[in-house]
Amino acid sequence: MTASHGDEWHWLWKLYVFGILVAAMVGVVLLNDRFPGNAPVAIAALAGIIACVSAFGQKVIRAETVDWRTVTFIGAVVGLWVIALWASPVSIAAIAALYPLFFAALPLSAALVVTTVVNLIPLSLVVIGGGVRSPNLPLAIATTLIGLVAAPVIGTAIMTSMRQRRMLADLVGELAATRAESARLSREAGAAAERERLSREIHDTLAQGFTSIATLAQAVDAELDTDPAAARKHVELIGSTARENLAEARVMVAGLTPAALDEGSLAGAIRRQCERLTAETGIAVTVDADEDLPPLGMAVDVVLLRATQEALANIRKHAQASAVHVELTRIADRVRLTLSDNGVGLPVEHADGFGLRGMRARVAQVGGTMSVSSDDGMRIDIEVPT
């Protein structure tokens, strides 16, 4: 976003121009006895400059290039001033009002040329009208010299002011654009983080629950004729898993505490997950949990519970294990969760899947560490600060 010339032209410059012209008109009236002339014509010409600036000045200054409108405007302003000067020599005071118009509407080099020519006009009119013996010649020379010095100074001030306003406007525009971009990126990052969170929640809860239901349904289908008692037990597990999945879905929508933690402590929730694995697969699971675990906070409890759910789901699907050991202990100022099995472990070329990546991300979010080893079966060690 770049400021236009119209934005650079501060209202104070317009006030300055109008103020000088009005002061010159007052001077024409008050000094008409000492410097006689045609005061009505001079006042009308100076008023014409005010009207011209009011009607066309902003449009000309706003233009990005010098065109016929700019030339016409500058010519009209200079012509009206020359008429006022011819009618009353006091109108020379209005010359200071012309400088800002020249420097705002023209390039610097052109403005310097025009102001120099305009500064020479009063001296030229005096010489033409009264010759070198004119009593007004010294005043005309002094006024010309002052104008030749003042014009570049005023022009530089105008250019500097306009350049600073343009830079400020550009800076404000860039800042606004940066803030808008920052807000957009923040929204996108928030949406991405929320999608990742929901993906992990679905993977760690609903997806695993549905996998358990599908596995149990296959077992029931095979047991209906051969082992009705086992089939009924598995049907009960299907109902229990479906209810827990429904509770997790409701909690996920509400963004509240995981349903498994509503029923008691973290150790109790982990025990229930392990008991379900045994009921569904027959894998023997032992759980050792310290009784004096410090309160970890809900965020850490959720991380350790989800890690347990993911690890047990992997054991169910891939490990081919017959025994699992889960340990939840306090070590100095940290709490360690260890899950190990006697299954086939991970292949050497294995890369972390979505589940393990999700576990690592969760653990890192609460300032914890996670390590995975597969020397003899599979072992996951997670440590979180208390």
Side-chain angles (χ1 to χ4, degrees), residues 28-384:
V28 168
V29 174
L30 297 179
L31 299 176
N32 190 52
D33 292 338
R34 185 173 181 181
F35 299 97
N38 193 335
V41 172
I43 292 174
L46 295 176
I49 297 176
I50 294 177
C52 188
V53 173
S54 299
F56 307 107
Q58 192 72 12
K59 296 180 181 178
V60 170
I61 293 170
R62 191 180 294 275
E64 296 296 332
T65 58
V66 176
D67 55 14
W68 65 270
R69 292 176 300 178
T70 306
V71 175
T72 302
F73 172 76
I74 296 298
V77 168
V78 173
L80 288 170
W81 177 71
V82 171
I83 292 174
L85 185 62
W86 171 80
S88 173
V90 180
S91 298
I92 194 173
I95 192 172
L98 307 185
Y99 298 154
L101 301 176
F102 298 157
F103 284 97
L106 299 172
L108 180 60
S109 57
L112 288 173
V113 171
V114 172
T115 52
T116 300
V117 172
V118 168
N119 281 322
L120 293 174
I121 289 177
L123 179 60
S124 302
L125 290 178
V126 169
V127 172
I128 293 173
V132 295
R133 298 183 181 275
S134 171
N136 293 329
L137 183 62
L139 179 61
I141 293 175
T143 303
T144 300
L145 293 176
I146 292 174
L148 291 175
V149 174
V153 174
I154 295 176
T156 301
I158 293 171
M159 289 295 187
T160 301
S161 172
M162 294 177 67
R163 182 169 59 251
Q164 289 176 344
R165 286 180 59 80
R166 181 172 63 250
M167 292 173 61
L168 180 60
D170 291 345
L171 182 61
V172 171
E174 291 175 2
L175 179 60
T178 301
R179 290 182 62 182
E181 179 68 8
S182 177
R184 183 185 68 81
L185 293 176
S186 180
R187 289 194 299 270
E188 292 181 357
E194 184 63 13
R195 284 195 298 270
E196 184 179 357
R197 184 189 72 81
L198 288 176
S199 296
R200 289 199 298 264
E201 290 291 332
I202 292 172
H203 179 272
D204 293 345
T205 57
L206 301 184
Q208 295 178 11
F210 289 136
T211 299
S212 295
I213 290 174
T215 302
L216 291 170
Q218 292 176 353
V220 169
D221 184 56
E223 295 165 347
L224 282 175
D225 297 328
T226 59
D227 193 349
R232 283 193 296 272
K233 180 180 179 181
H234 286 156
V235 168
E236 292 176 357
L237 283 173
I238 289 175
S240 174
T241 303
R243 286 190 294 273
E244 290 188 8
N245 254 26
L246 179 59
E248 288 286 0
R250 288 172 175 168
V251 166
M252 192 179 302
V253 171
L256 301 177
T257 304
L261 290 174
D262 281 340
E263 303 174 11
S265 65
L266 171 64
I270 290 177
R271 289 183 189 278
R272 287 190 292 276
Q273 298 298 318
C274 294
E275 291 168 359
R276 176 181 296 172
L277 178 66
T278 300
E280 293 176 359
T281 64
I283 298 174
V285 182
T286 58
V287 180
D288 292 328
D290 288 352
E291 298 297 332
D292 60 343
L293 288 177
L296 301 175
M298 186 53 62
V300 178
D301 285 351
V302 170
V303 168
L304 295 180
L305 175 62
R306 296 306 189 211
T308 301
Q309 291 173 324
E310 173 62 22
L312 296 181
N314 288 337
I315 291 171
R316 179 190 294 110
K317 290 185 290 186
H318 308 299
Q320 302 176 28
S322 60
V324 176
H325 180 66
V326 179
E327 188 175 359
L328 186 63
T329 58
R330 179 177 184 175
I331 303 174
D333 60 345
R334 303 178 75 81
V335 169
R336 174 183 293 173
L337 172 65
T338 300
L339 302 104
S340 59
D341 65 68
N342 62 350
V344 297
L346 294 174
V348 176
E349 68 280 2
H350 173 79
D352 286 355
F354 182 84
L356 287 178
R357 289 199 304 271
M359 291 170 65
R360 292 185 189 277
R362 284 181 182 275
V363 172
Q365 286 178 350
V366 295
T369 59
M370 171 178 159
S371 62
V372 178
S373 59
S374 185
D375 296 334
D376 185 11
M378 180 79 169
R379 179 186 174 99
I380 297 175
D381 289 293
I382 297 173
E383 291 188 5
V384 295

